[in-house]
Amino acid sequence: MTDKQQDSDGLEAFFDAARNTAPDPDAAFMARILDDALSVQAEAVAPPRPATKREGPFSQILRGIGGWPALTGLAAATVAGVWVGVNPPAAVSDQLASLIGTGSVSTDADSDWLLDPLTEYDIAMTGG
């Protein structure tokens, strides 16, 4: 413990001397530092190179949706939706017709009536 105390006392004299005398750098050294700083600053301020090719609106949209694989999936879903909308299967068209009330539902053999798509609540809300 005393050895450390003696070492720090010896170093303390050097620290005090360093605190009391400020270093005076050489003028040539300061000129080199200034030249180096100005060259680095000029590189940092230089404008960026312009892009050689800009993307068009179609390329931006294509990149936004996920590229060509996503576009082919969307195209396939669109074609399938148009096909089902134009030429629906019989089961779908019968269910849809009964749902919107254009198909006939028979409860008795003698009476056929159309299904009303609006309930009493819906009619009251429309003001009718």
Side-chain angles (χ1 to χ4, degrees), residues 26-108:
D26 187 23
F29 176 69
M30 291 301 288
R32 287 191 312 250
I33 290 177
L34 184 61
D35 289 340
D36 188 34
L38 289 175
S39 68
V40 169
Q41 185 180 13
E43 290 173 5
V45 176
R49 292 179 295 180
T52 57
K53 183 179 177 185
R54 292 187 59 184
E55 286 187 351
F58 180 73
S59 297
Q60 291 176 354
I61 291 171
L62 184 65
R63 186 173 37 93
I65 64 170
W68 285 107
L71 185 65
T72 56
L74 286 173
T78 302
V79 169
V82 168
W83 180 260
V84 169
V86 169
N87 188 13
V92 173
S93 63
D94 292 343
Q95 289 287 335
L96 186 61
S98 68
L99 181 67
I100 63 173
T102 58
S104 62
V105 177
S106 82
T107 55
D108 282 17

